[in-house]
Amino acid sequence: MSIDLNREIQIIARTGKRDYGINRTIKATKLGRAQLIILAKNCPTEKKSQIEYYAKLANIPIVEFSGSGYDLGALCGRGHVVSAISVYDPGDSKILRSLKKK
């Protein structure tokens, strides 16, 4: 079963607990509070590698969104660029269950 990532991100934005932004995502990963990290394709390389490092230490899965930060922001209903999302609770989304199956 393959998931529709766009739909799952919209569900997380609507029903889940999440934070937007690179700095908040780095903080959530350092503290190990996030259950999932979603990164835009054009996330700055230095920040992306920092997030990936802390996520690996905290065993937090990372999903790379195929669109830009603007696309990710629009998908979440935000009027600005969103390069990273830290998900604390996915809400009604089935994304974590499908990631655990892989």
Side-chain angles (χ1 to χ4, degrees), residues 1-4 7-8 94-95 97-99 101-102:
M1 176 181 120
S2 104
I3 61 167
D4 180 13
R7 184 170 180 268
E8 295 300 320
K94 296 174 179 65
I95 193 166
R97 281 183 258 153
S98 65
L99 287 175
K101 288 181 182 178
K102 290 183 179 179

Side-chain angles (χ1 to χ4, degrees), residues 40-80:
K41 189 175 186 175
N42 66 340
C43 182
T45 309
E46 183 180 318
K47 297 291 187 176
K48 182 178 181 179
S49 62
Q50 193 176 3
I51 291 169
E52 288 172 342
Y53 173 75
Y54 290 120
K56 187 174 183 177
L57 289 177
N59 202 19
I60 300 170
I62 295 178
V63 173
E64 186 167 322
F65 178 68
S66 60
S68 69
Y70 182 77
D71 297 333
L72 186 57
L75 194 63
C76 295
R78 312 290 282 192
H80 53 84

